[in-house]
Amino acid sequence: PDLKPAVNDAKAMARVLKGKYGFQVKLMLGSKATKRGIYKALRRLAASAKPGESILIYYAGHGDLDRQYNDGWWIPVDAEAGNPITYLDNVQVQKAMRNMKARHVLLISDSCYSGTLFGRARTMPSVITDKYYLGLYNERSRWGMTSGNKTPVSDQGAGGHSIFAYQVLKELENNEKPYLS
C-alpha cells in the first residue's frame, strides 16, 4: 500500500535541503520512483558526480528483508508484492555510492530493514573539535543513516511525517551550527 508520509517526507526534505543548505535537488515521486527510474538515477549520479561534491541521497518508502541472502531491498512504486525481481536490491545502492567520484556521499534511508544497507554502526568520538571535522571533511567518505536495523519501522509519526523523518527534519531545520553530527 502507498505510504502517505513518505511523499510528505521527501517533499519536506527536498525543501529544507534546497532552501537552507543550498543543495540541488532531484525529487522522484510517484511514477518516477520506479525500479528503473531509481536505478537509472543512481547510475547517473555515479557517472556525473565530481570529486569535490557532496551528495545526499534520501529514500522514504517500503523496504523488505531478503531472508535467503540476509540482505535488503527498497520497494519501488512499481514493485509487485512478493516478487523480489521487481525490488531494488541494496547491492545496487551500495555499488552506486561506492563508485561516485564525489568526496562525500550520505544516504538517509527511511524504510523497513534499512539497516541492511550497512554492515555495522560506528559511534562518534567523545570529544568533537573543529580539527575532527576538518579531518572528516578532507577524507573521502560514505555515510549512512537509517530509520531501523534489520527490523520493520513504524509508518506513523508526527506532523504528517514518519517518526524518523520528523526528527531528522526538525534537526535540519533548527540547526544553527556549521556542522551537524
Side-chain angles (χ1 to χ4, degrees), residues 23-98:
F23 276 80
Q24 293 177 10
V25 174
K26 177 178 178 159
L27 192 57
M28 297 176 67
L29 301 172
S31 63
K32 292 183 181 177
T34 62
K35 178 181 178 179
R36 179 184 174 115
I38 296 168
Y39 179 79
K40 285 176 68 175
L42 288 170
R43 287 190 65 91
R44 205 172 306 118
L45 258 178
S48 66
K50 299 194 178 16
E53 291 181 322
S54 295
I55 305 286
L56 189 151
I57 301 166
Y58 178 76
Y59 175 78
H62 286 297
D64 200 5
L65 181 65
D66 180 345
R67 284 163 180 78
Q68 184 171 350
Y69 291 149
N70 197 29
D71 205 350
W73 295 295
W74 285 349
I75 310 296
V77 71
D78 61 339
E80 298 170 21
N83 184 359
I85 297 297
T86 64
Y87 304 167
L88 185 66
D89 195 309
N90 281 353
V91 172
Q92 298 304 321
V93 179
Q94 294 161 341
K95 193 183 298 186
M97 288 179 67
R98 195 171 45 249

Side-chain angles (χ1 to χ4, degrees), residues 150-172:
K150 290 184 179 181
T151 57
V153 296
S154 175
D155 297 333
Q156 303 303 313
H161 299 289
S162 74
I163 294 168
F164 178 77
Y166 177 81
Q167 294 299 329
V168 172
L169 287 163
K170 186 169 83 171
E171 286 299 316
L172 289 172

